[in-house]
Amino acid sequence: MPARDFSPASRYAGIVTILLVSTYELGRQPFGLASPRAWLEREGHCVACVDLAVEPLSDAQIHAAEAVAFYLPMHTATRLALPVIERVQRVNPGARLACYGLYAAINAEMLGALGLTVIGGEFETGLVQFARGQAPPLISLERQTFLAPQRSALPSLHQYAKLRMNGSEKLVAYTEASRGCKHRCRHCPVVPVYDGHFRIVQRDAVLEDIRQQVAAGATHVTFGDPDFFNGPRHSLDIVRALHAAFPDITYDVTIKVEHLLRRRDLLETLKQTGCLFVTSAVESLDDAILAKLEKHHTREDVFEIARAMREIGLTLSPTFIAFTPWTTLAGYRDLLQAIAEWEWIEHVAPIQLALRLLVTAGSRLLELEDLRETLGAFDRTALIYPWTHPDPSMDRLASEVLQLVSEQQETERSRLQIFAGVWQLARGQLAQEKSLPERYLQTARSPIPRMDEPWYCCAEPVTAQGRLI
């Protein structure tokens, strides 16, 4: 890192002190701080990073910065950033401010009205331009040659989410081998920015990023790509090289059902190179809802890939958007029944049973006339279009499930205990099997590898008490 020079001459030479801020990224050490830091330091700038998920931001840090940029990779991060932006503007009104990441571009109108520069898509080049005092494009899909992220000044991996397995825990590295996605699922936040395009992070940069985190104690790697099989040749080249260099390191990836089916021939390679589990955004087991979301898979496709993965001993971690404007009580009960029948109770984070469909600015969901009829005006605090279910009892059930999950997670109930409570809520007044049947209690598979920070996407992550989670 270059020596810091705060003299007037350094400012004349174009060197600035820039503060990069992350508010939340699912318990991960942020790639979105480490990667742009490497780019900005190469330019000679003085860069500080703060991850508010694990460390405080002081007024002294705010005062010292000539420019501040907020990393907004997800909805929760954006909501948490808003009061911090207000604070920075109050403490250091002369600082230039920017936001970057997926949700910066999605909320460009609101952020621009607050006086911030917005940088979406491939943001490293845009941040370099911002630091130079230039106007970066709102969304750039420029192909970049990545640098190895600079993580040396970030909080220790010990402060982030761990992998829990067989009563033990592993420190987790986080990296990205690609951004964007080839697909245009209607509800996905990637689509308004990348619109069916994806961009790779070069192999050497990814492997060097992993090496430095392994040196810091990581024994498991999470690949945060929206879909690891958008470029399967690139992805498998990386995990083969990872396994050759670090044969004891395990990893997890996110892959859509459609890709898992199409490239099931690659599942064995994932298993052989150390993949412990695959997260897949199943979203629903109702074919009509899946069609609305344009997921391009069916209920039976989910079960087919579940069978294939079980045969080779690869764990599937399905995620769901449990409540949508089209979810029926019968459909919700069917979802719980399927989770129990497929022995996924331990695979599914309880919050997945409570999530509501998220409708953001720019979402392709707004193309659906029947959905638009359920929407209220855009909420500039929640950053969503709130929707109301045509059946008020479904909104009540959603609220009750969220309340139960939130309260029982706080008391550290097991996934099985929480699931049993949700099952009973959903069964309501039904006399038959109102309580979770004994056969499901006996067949709930545990332990399985899982992160101790729940994964969610495209859904409203707010507790019944209004707190962000």
Side-chain angles (χ1 to χ4, degrees):
M1 176 177 176
R4 297 191 174 208
D5 181 359
F6 297 95
S7 68
S10 73
R11 300 188 183 194
Y12 180 78
I15 295 173
V16 300
T17 58
I18 183 167
L19 175 65
L20 303 179
V21 179
S22 174
T23 54
Y24 180 64
E25 198 186 0
L26 291 174
R28 303 160 173 167
Q29 191 188 69
F31 183 92
L33 295 184
S35 179
R37 178 185 170 199
W39 287 63
L40 291 164
E41 289 186 347
R42 184 178 64 174
E43 295 285 306
H45 301 299
C46 302
V47 184
C49 296
V50 174
D51 182 1
L52 296 180
V54 297
E55 60 184 341
L57 172 64
S58 70
D59 283 356
Q61 289 171 303
I62 297 172
H63 277 297
E66 298 167 78
V68 182
F70 295 85
Y71 177 47
L72 308 180
M74 57 185 297
H75 181 258
T76 304
T78 308
R79 291 190 59 185
L80 291 171
L82 293 179
V84 186
I85 290 170
E86 181 181 354
R87 177 187 169 200
V88 169
Q89 289 176 322
R90 183 178 65 254
V91 172
N92 187 354
R96 294 186 292 117
L97 304 187
C99 289
Y100 63 101
L102 269 185
Y103 276 80
I106 288 172
N107 294 289
E109 182 179 352
M110 180 271 295
L111 295 169
L114 295 176
L116 281 78
T117 297
V118 177
I119 305 168
E122 302 300 275
F123 51 73
E124 285 84 356
T125 301
L127 281 169
V128 169
Q129 293 172 318
F130 168 71
R132 291 173 180 167
Q134 301 169 348
L138 173 60
I139 295 176
S140 172
L141 299 185
E142 174 186 351
R143 287 180 168 83
Q144 301 180 146
T145 300
F146 281 81
L147 304 175
Q150 174 55 268
R151 296 182 179 270
S152 60
L154 294 181
S156 165
L157 293 178
H158 291 273
Q159 294 180 254
Y160 292 94
K162 313 295 192 303
L163 178 83
R164 308 289 179 181
M165 184 175 178
N166 296 324
S168 63
E169 67 178 36
K170 291 186 173 188
L171 289 186
V172 179
Y174 175 80
T175 194
E176 297 174 7
S178 66
R179 290 189 185 139
C181 186
K182 289 180 176 179
H183 300 271
R184 301 182 72 249
C185 301
R186 202 185 291 274
H187 61 304
C188 179
V190 176
V191 175
V193 179
Y194 283 89
D195 195 28
H197 299 84
F198 91 108
R199 297 289 180 260
I200 68 166
V201 181
Q202 288 77 23
R203 172 183 179 274
D204 289 348
V206 177
L207 293 173
E208 179 56 33
D209 190 27
I210 294 171
R211 285 189 192 98
Q212 61 180 312
Q213 294 179 81
V214 170
T219 56
H220 180 85
V221 179
T222 290
F223 287 94
D225 309 42
D227 194 300
F228 201 63
F229 275 3
N230 269 318
R233 183 181 301 176
H234 169 67
S235 299
L236 290 182
D237 183 36
I238 287 172
V239 295
R240 288 183 178 117
L242 168 63
H243 188 63
F246 303 105
D248 295 328
I249 296 293
T250 57
Y251 67 90
D252 68 90
V253 296
T254 298
I255 305 174
K256 73 195 309 292
V257 172
E258 179 183 3
H259 282 168
L260 290 170
L261 283 170
R262 185 182 303 163
R263 298 312 308 267
R264 70 179 71 191
D265 58 307
L266 302 179
L267 297 180
E268 188 63 44
T269 301
L270 293 181
K271 175 69 175 176
Q272 292 172 355
T273 54
C275 184
L276 288 183
F277 63 94
V278 176
T279 299
S280 193
V282 171
E283 315 298 32
S284 176
L285 294 176
D286 183 318
D287 285 340
I289 295 176
L290 291 170
K292 292 277 190 184
L293 302 180
E294 291 191 0
K295 285 298 295 181
H296 297 291
H297 69 250
T298 66
R299 173 190 180 92
E300 186 50 43
D301 289 338
V302 176
F303 299 152
E304 183 178 345
I305 200 61
R307 283 189 288 266
M309 292 179 67
R310 184 169 290 179
E311 286 175 3
I312 66 171
L314 191 56
T315 298
L316 174 66
S317 292
T319 65
F320 300 98
I321 301 174
F323 292 96
T324 75
W326 312 287
T327 304
T328 65
L329 179 57
Y332 187 71
R333 289 171 176 165
D334 174 73
L335 172 64
L336 298 180
Q337 182 87 26
I339 290 172
E341 292 283 357
W342 280 86
E343 302 175 6
W344 288 339
I345 293 174
E346 294 294 334
H347 297 229
V348 177
I351 192 59
Q352 299 290 331
L353 308 175
L355 293 178
R356 286 172 62 91
L357 181 67
L358 190 70
V359 185
T360 64
S363 173
R364 287 194 62 226
L365 288 166
L366 297 170
E367 299 169 0
L368 297 173
E369 183 177 355
D370 62 338
L371 175 65
R372 292 199 303 270
E373 293 173 354
T374 73
L375 298 180
F378 186 75
D379 186 330
R380 296 178 67 85
T381 300
L383 303 180
I384 58 169
Y385 288 95
W387 55 266
T388 304
H389 198 286
D391 179 355
S393 69
M394 289 304 296
D395 282 337
R396 287 195 296 272
L397 176 62
S399 179
E400 290 169 358
V401 171
L402 186 54
Q403 180 85 30
L404 183 148
V405 169
S406 301
E407 291 178 352
Q408 295 205 4
Q409 283 189 152
E410 288 181 1
T411 59
E412 298 185 351
R413 295 290 186 94
S414 70
R415 287 187 173 185
L416 179 57
Q417 289 171 319
I418 297 174
F419 184 88
V422 173
W423 175 281
Q424 192 158 0
L425 270 179
R427 302 298 286 183
Q429 301 304 312
L430 292 179
Q432 185 179 13
E433 293 192 343
K434 181 176 179 180
S435 298
L436 186 65
E438 184 66 26
R439 65 183 183 277
Y440 298 143
L441 297 173
Q442 294 174 345
T443 59
R445 291 189 173 188
S446 183
I448 58 130
R450 64 181 186 227
M451 302 298 297
D452 59 11
E453 186 89 7
W455 189 103
Y456 55 83
C457 185
C458 313
E460 175 58 60
V462 181
T463 69
Q465 294 78 24
R467 297 193 304 271
L468 291 167
I469 61 172

